[in-house]
Amino acid sequence: MLSALVPGLGQAYNRRRRLALGLFIPFALVVTATALAVWTIPGPRLIASAIVPRNLDLLLNLSLMLLVWRLVALSQAFFDDRFELRPGRLGLGGLALVIVVTILPHVGAQYVGGLARSTFAEVFDGGTLGTRSDAEPERVPGENERLNVLLIGMDNGRGRDHALTDTLIVVSLDPVGKSVSMASLPRDLVNVPLGDGRTFAPKLNSLLSYAKRHPAEFPGGPTRALKDAVGALLGIPVHYFATVDLAGFAKMVDAVGGVDVNVRHALDDPKYAGYGIPRGGWSVTVGKHHFDGANALAYARIRRSDGQTDFTRQTRQQEILLALRSKVVKGDALFSLPSLLEAVGKTVSTDLPPERLPDLAVLAGEIPAKRIVRVVVRFPLVHPAKAGQNKYGAVQLPEYDRILAMAAGLFPAPGTPAKAWNPKDSPLPSPATSQPPSAPPG
């Protein structure tokens, strides 16, 4: 038992000092190096670095070597040839029990490691909506440049013959100023520039599916089309995307033990149902609440309550994302890592390069809440179309010059503080500047 806990300890008890040192020193070096890594490396970077396949394989092999070392140590201590008495059935049964207890943590490590490996492969393959392999390479941001990611919430609910991008949020990380800017776009936005001189007339939330069905019109692939369109609208390059399935997002929230949200406005939608909420509606009062996955998703999706619109819903979506981020960067998710990995693997897909993950994890953990600037693109950046003005139903028309002016303050040069948008700062549109913008620089 002593040698199973610490190789060499059982030999020291048996007064085999030289053998005890030989078994203990390698084990102590590995444990010391591990302890120093845990002590000195920030938790988010440590976890992110550990699941990169190259590092993960090294750690799993090290775990197997450590298991063999422990088994050798406990076997030698048990069968030490200096003792004449040989163990009986009870002794061998005890040995078998000690061996099983010794092996179990390493089996668990192999299980979590395998889960992390499969999750990594699923998340970082870009999914079926990724950029086509024969497309022109996209510009990659430099080390000290803003990194812009388009978060896409996919609604695959019942009654839909194709998935819609229910949520569109641009997240921009400034590695110099260590800040984050977020902009939520209306899903009912029409007449969005595609960045190549064309304009997509239907609703923005249908572009992804449309591009998938018409590959000849979008040689770069569906997500490339959506990234280019959003980038042209905001005047910034959108480097990467991350798609999130709404049902899977609820599982991610459950995996971290739920999220805490300060509800500022009471909500009540008697017709809301789905994604874990039974028929009968959903409501919440003002105040602090702890939401599980289903209720967090309901809070982010509900829009038929009095005084609520798509724009207020987008604000709540940002709140849920930040609440989930807060739970993860605090390290609480470490205790539910297997379930979180499983949920992420089945929910998220991105074209973000895996090697950027550790640095981004550290940056996410270092950014305080006061350096997260959020904007919802709403009136007067957009305005509703008049009845009969278009054939796509209730839609929002963009004011291009206002949107670009807002984006210039929200996504400034690295190191420059982002500016929260104020409707009073938006200039009146003019015929000279109300045309769809061209492709963003870069």
Side-chain angles (χ1 to χ4, degrees), residues 91-128:
L92 290 174
L95 174 63
L97 180 61
V98 172
I99 290 176
V100 169
V101 173
T102 302
I103 291 176
L104 282 178
H106 296 271
V107 172
Q110 293 295 320
Y111 169 74
V112 174
L115 193 58
R117 187 188 288 109
S118 61
T119 297
F120 202 93
E122 291 173 336
V123 169
F124 288 95
D125 69 350
T128 59

Side-chain angles (χ1 to χ4, degrees), residues 178-255:
K178 294 185 178 180
S179 64
V180 171
S181 299
M182 300 176 64
S184 293
L185 301 176
R187 61 178 185 166
D188 294 333
L189 194 65
V190 296
N191 298 337
V192 176
L194 292 174
D196 58 3
R198 295 180 296 165
T199 299
F200 187 69
K203 293 182 179 181
L204 181 59
N205 72 334
S206 66
L207 174 56
L208 198 69
S209 294
Y210 180 87
K212 188 177 182 180
R213 297 194 307 271
H214 300 82
E217 298 182 34
F218 301 93
T223 50
R224 178 72 172 268
L226 187 56
K227 288 193 293 182
D228 288 346
V230 170
L233 181 69
L234 297 176
I236 61 173
V238 177
H239 305 110
Y240 308 112
F241 77 88
T243 62
V244 181
D245 177 78
L246 295 187
F249 182 80
K251 295 180 180 178
M252 289 171 58
V253 173
D254 285 333

Side-chain angles (χ1 to χ4, degrees), residues 276-321:
I277 301 296
R279 293 187 179 276
W282 188 86
S283 62
V284 67
T285 58
V286 174
K288 295 182 179 180
H289 292 267
H290 182 78
F291 290 141
D292 62 8
N295 286 285
L297 190 57
Y299 178 74
R301 297 187 73 233
I302 190 173
R303 62 189 176 98
R304 291 188 174 89
S305 183
D306 290 341
Q308 299 301 305
T309 65
D310 268 345
F311 304 112
T312 58
R313 181 172 78 155
Q314 289 164 11
T315 300
R316 286 183 268 113
Q317 290 170 352
Q318 292 181 355
E319 291 176 2
I320 292 296
L321 280 177

Side-chain angles (χ1 to χ4, degrees), residues 258-273:
V259 293
D260 299 310
V261 176
N262 186 17
V263 178
R264 293 177 174 80
H265 303 282
L267 302 172
D268 183 17
D269 182 355
K271 295 184 178 180
Y272 182 87

